[in-house]
Amino acid sequence: MRVTLVGVSHHGAGVELRERVALRLEDARAVAGELARDAGEAVCLSTCNRTELYVAHDDDVDAEARATRVLLEREPELATALYRLRDEAAALHLFRVAAGLDSLVPGEGEILGQVRAAFDAGATGALLDRLFRQALYAGRKARAQTGIGESPTSVPAAAAALAQQVFGDLKGRRILLVGAGKVSEQTARSLISRGAEIAVVANRTLDRAAELAGRFGSAALPLERIEEELERADVVVASTGSPEPVLRREHVERALRARRGHPLFLIDLAVPRDLDPAINELDGCYLYDIDDLESVVAESLGSRRREAAAAEAIVAAEAEEFRTWQASLEVVPAIASLRARAEEIRCAELAKAESRLGELSDAERRAVESVTAQIVNKLLHLPTVRMKQAAAAADGVVYADAVRHLFGLEDER
Amino acid sequence: MVELLFWPALIAYGEAAVAYVGVLRRPDLAARLAIWGVRIGWLAQTALLAVQAYQADGFPWADWAGALNLFVWFAVGAYLVYGSSPRYRLLGIAVMPCAAALFALAGLGGAAEQSGSDLFTAVHVGLVVAGFAGFALAAALAGLYLWLERRLKRRPVGLLRLGPPSLVTLDGVSARVSAVSLAAFSVGIALGLVRGHDVDLAVAGAIAAWIVFGSALFFRRELGWRGKRAAYLTLAGFALVAFLGLPAGHLG
């Protein structure tokens, strides 16, 4: 049985093509079931960056043709963008995908969950079960042993990581949202996901502030009154369309007296800037504008790319292990036949010897059984190990044929 | 026997000090080497102190070299509580080179000898030395706080690369270490005064250090002096201790 991969990804196809072959989980389950018919196995992995069909079948040419047909029926224009990989190459590809090495943002964390979901929805047997379990393991290992998934790769994530550098745990930290735009909302959500809470939304239009505040279960405030909240806030996220700074150094300076030395982290996402840059000169105030955050993101991406080299080594080692395992499958039938034949001979010879042995007690019978079984096992141990080693070195078929010929196992092929 | 334990401890501390400098370049490998150096060194030093205690008749660390030896043991022990955590590994850059140098100095001072002292002296010296060690750790935390604070203000490239503890955590831990050390130090000093220790320069310095650390904690609680102010006060207190050579002078 061989593994075949047919797929399309962001490397070769634009979103307008990928979206036409994207499969929801229920569809992926149905397609996998269809591809796995006639004693095969199949898993469909479909994310925003890729749709890939993994099929394991004895007739790999037919399996590849059927998988190709599934994708081209949905979008004929995909023909030139499709890639096809077999066995070790397919495994290495999947392991790279699971480790986030094939993603737009190296090491992104979402893909591992998507691989897991695809595996759960797949029609798997021994081969794809092993392949996907090892892929999940490789993905986790690459993240645990390298820094590929550690640093922030978006402006909201960078803002949250910097806030954590000031406060540590963000649980219960109060956010003052200045401006009710999309960008500040995304940043706020990133902070909320780490435990912070939106305390107040301030906006020039109070209705808009109230609408956003309602979604977060917080209070709304007109822009003119933000100074009141400065005394209690831990993080300020500003993103208004104001041509002038909405918060000046003197506003913050006044609020600092009441803060009793507690730090204040300010994020300015607006252009022109909403927060007076001189605020950063105040003790206990840390102000980051959009350029600062973008440079953190750029640095993080660079660092992830550097870590990717170490992650590549990890997935390559895992792919090699899978190759060895898969190759050993070629000699498994021969080994099984050999052992069955040996057991058959052992039992037959014992039966023949029964009359000569006379009346045996239960203990004596068990001893004879045990001794003969041990002789057989010891004789077959080395040939079994050598055949598996030969399989890993690509000589497995030759050895398996030789064993079948020498022991007369041809009929059991 | 003492020699046999002193050198492995010194080598391990030295290795840890060098490895911590390497943390800035190869964080993971260097940090592993460093923390194992600290652990092995501390275990060897613990064995050394145990042998010294066994061989001596009374309290064996009442001379300056012995007190320094004990001080390093307390300081490294306190550091181990935090230093094993990856987020505090940078603290080792400040702690371990000093610990290695002071331990070498203690070794130059010779093996601890029996000084005819009693349990009272042992408790007095033990508490004062533990207080000094805690102040040293608090000062290292304060130094790390100021360095990180400066980085957050200046926003250099690679700001998040080293993953040090957060400002608030450093500030809080430094204050807690100061408070515990001050309590031990206060009892130690009080015992010395009750016993009729002369009020010399060393005692005056110790009292001055007590006032600085006490003020830092008082102002923190009453006036909200956190962050940079608290860090500067902690460093000032420790500088006073170090400048007056208290660990050696007070106990010598």
Side-chain angles (χ1 to χ4, degrees):
Chain A
M1 199 177 252
R2 302 187 67 181
V3 179
T4 303
L5 157 63
V6 180
V8 60
S9 77
H10 60 97
H11 294 301
V15 66
E16 67 286 351
L17 286 180
R18 294 200 310 274
E19 68 188 3
R20 285 178 221 160
V21 289
L23 299 167
R24 287 175 304 151
L25 204 56
E26 309 87 76
D27 298 332
R29 192 188 303 275
V31 170
E34 174 64 22
L35 285 171
R37 72 182 148 81
D38 303 331
E41 305 172 31
V43 174
C44 301
L45 172 63
S46 188
T47 71
C48 52
N49 283 331
R50 71 194 67 248
T51 295
E52 292 176 343
L53 310 179
Y54 293 83
V55 188
H57 207 281
D58 287 327
D59 186 350
D60 52 317
V61 176
D62 179 56
E64 183 186 305
R66 285 195 290 135
T68 304
R69 206 159 46 241
V70 165
L71 293 177
L72 292 184
E73 273 170 8
R74 282 173 165 74
E75 178 48 64
E77 283 181 41
L78 273 180
T80 53
L82 287 182
Y83 46 82
R84 297 167 180 85
L85 300 169
R86 292 263 165 85
D87 297 327
E88 189 188 348
L92 179 62
H93 177 82
L94 177 62
F95 294 175
R96 292 187 75 251
V97 167
L101 291 167
D102 199 53
S103 301
L104 272 172
V105 175
E108 57 104 353
E110 211 180 337
I111 186 66
L112 204 56
Q114 291 166 327
V115 171
R116 157 68 68 186
F119 172 45
D120 289 343
T124 56
L127 192 52
L128 289 192
D129 186 82
R130 164 83 184 215
L131 176 68
F132 273 79
R133 281 186 196 285
Q134 201 164 344
L136 293 167
Y137 173 74
R140 283 195 299 269
K141 191 174 173 185
R143 284 177 176 80
Q145 295 187 2
T146 70
I148 192 168
E150 273 176 10
S151 43
T153 53
S154 65
V155 165
L162 286 164
Q164 282 179 313
Q165 193 65 83
V166 175
F167 298 107
D169 188 5
L170 294 183
K171 197 170 180 197
R173 296 286 171 189
R174 291 168 64 89
I175 305 172
L176 165 60
L177 217 55
V178 183
K182 194 80 185 162
V183 188
S184 57
E185 186 183 337
Q186 282 170 351
T187 305
R189 284 194 189 282
S190 178
L191 291 162
I192 290 168
S193 70
R194 287 163 172 83
E197 58 188 51
I198 306 287
V200 172
V201 180
N203 198 44
R204 200 166 298 284
T205 324
L206 196 55
D207 288 347
R208 175 79 186 109
E211 184 195 328
L212 191 57
R215 265 188 269 157
F216 290 123
S218 54
L221 209 66
L223 213 48
E224 302 73 42
R225 287 176 55 197
I226 51 174
E227 209 177 320
E228 297 168 20
E229 183 54 27
L230 274 181
E231 293 177 5
R232 290 179 295 275
D234 296 301
V235 181
V236 177
V237 180
S239 175
T240 74
S242 166
E244 295 292 322
V246 294
L247 210 53
R248 295 190 177 278
R249 180 189 162 113
E250 51 271 25
H251 298 141
V252 181
E253 206 162 13
R254 279 197 291 271
L256 282 183
R257 287 182 205 119
R259 294 181 61 83
R260 293 174 53 87
H262 290 288
L264 181 63
F265 183 63
L266 304 104
I267 304 162
D268 189 351
L269 301 166
V271 179
R273 286 177 290 182
D274 281 338
L275 307 178
D276 180 359
I279 293 171
N280 194 50
E281 292 160 13
L282 296 170
D283 251 5
C285 292
Y286 307 94
L287 170 61
Y288 284 74
D289 63 28
I290 189 74
D291 279 0
D292 299 325
L293 295 173
E294 278 173 356
S295 66
V296 167
V297 171
E299 213 281 318
S300 292
L301 285 170
S303 134
R304 282 189 181 219
R305 285 189 192 105
R306 284 192 293 278
E307 290 295 314
E312 290 282 7
I314 289 170
V315 297
E318 291 299 321
E320 174 57 20
E321 199 180 312
F322 178 79
R323 190 195 67 76
T324 306
W325 176 81
Q326 193 188 4
S328 76
L329 294 180
E330 289 183 355
V331 296
V332 164
I335 291 170
S337 301
L338 180 62
R339 286 190 168 272
R341 172 61 56 88
E343 182 63 10
E344 193 183 302
I345 293 169
R346 187 184 74 84
C347 292
E349 290 305 311
L350 267 182
K352 265 196 250 171
E354 191 133 332
S355 58
R356 277 175 282 147
L357 287 170
E359 197 68 23
L360 294 177
S361 67
D362 284 351
E364 287 167 339
R365 183 171 298 282
R366 276 199 300 274
V368 171
E369 288 273 351
S370 167
V371 166
T372 52
Q374 274 178 32
I375 291 169
V376 169
N377 280 338
K378 286 199 171 172
L379 274 172
L380 295 186
H381 176 70
L382 197 57
T384 304
V385 170
R386 290 272 159 84
M387 278 174 75
K388 285 185 175 172
Q389 286 171 346
D395 291 334
V397 178
V398 177
Y399 275 66
D401 284 346
V403 164
R404 283 195 190 96
H405 179 67
L406 289 173
F407 290 90
L409 306 171
E410 284 92 346
D411 296 343
E412 299 175 38
R413 188 186 283 267
Chain B
M1 186 64 181
V2 168
E3 286 277 305
L4 275 177
L5 290 166
F6 172 78
W7 286 105
L10 182 62
I11 290 167
Y13 283 162
E15 182 272 334
V18 173
Y20 270 119
V21 176
V23 164
L24 295 171
R25 296 179 67 86
R26 298 275 310 268
D28 292 330
L29 176 67
R32 273 201 298 276
L33 288 172
I35 199 64
W36 276 107
V38 178
R39 285 171 181 155
I40 291 167
W42 193 76
L43 284 175
Q45 197 190 356
T46 306
L48 170 71
L49 295 176
V51 169
Q52 286 177 335
Y54 177 75
Q55 288 176 346
D57 258 349
F59 185 68
W61 304 294
D63 64 342
W64 72 267
L68 208 53
N69 189 356
L70 203 57
F71 168 77
V72 170
W73 184 78
F74 272 120
V76 177
Y79 167 68
L80 263 180
V81 175
Y82 296 105
S84 298
S85 153
R87 296 195 78 78
Y88 284 93
R89 65 173 58 137
L90 287 173
L91 198 55
I93 297 171
V95 172
M96 287 319 295
C98 299
L102 292 176
F103 188 59
L105 197 62
L108 283 176
E113 289 167 7
Q114 185 270 334
S115 59
S117 49
D118 51 14
L119 180 65
F120 190 89
T121 310
V123 174
H124 162 61
V125 173
L127 287 171
V128 171
V129 169
F132 285 145
F135 291 152
L137 185 63
L141 285 161
L144 187 57
Y145 176 95
L146 290 172
W147 175 77
L148 180 60
E149 205 266 351
R150 198 178 158 93
R151 274 172 69 83
L152 277 166
K153 284 277 190 195
R154 294 188 169 187
R155 313 160 198 146
V157 173
L159 181 60
L160 296 172
R161 200 182 302 157
L162 291 170
S166 71
L167 283 183
V168 168
T169 308
L170 280 172
D171 185 41
V173 172
S174 176
R176 281 198 292 278
V177 170
S178 287
V180 171
S181 308
L182 189 65
F185 191 65
S186 305
V187 176
I189 292 285
L191 284 176
L193 292 174
V194 166
R195 190 61 178 259
H197 199 301
D198 295 335
V199 181
D200 54 13
L201 183 66
V203 172
I207 292 170
W210 188 92
I211 291 170
V212 174
F213 278 100
S215 307
L217 291 170
F218 175 80
F219 289 138
R220 179 184 183 85
R221 187 182 160 84
E222 297 303 319
L223 303 176
W225 281 23
R226 289 180 171 77
K228 269 168 84 173
R229 280 177 181 167
Y232 282 131
L233 268 178
T234 304
L235 284 174
F238 182 69
L240 198 58
V241 170
F243 179 70
L244 294 173
L246 286 177
H250 179 72
L251 302 162

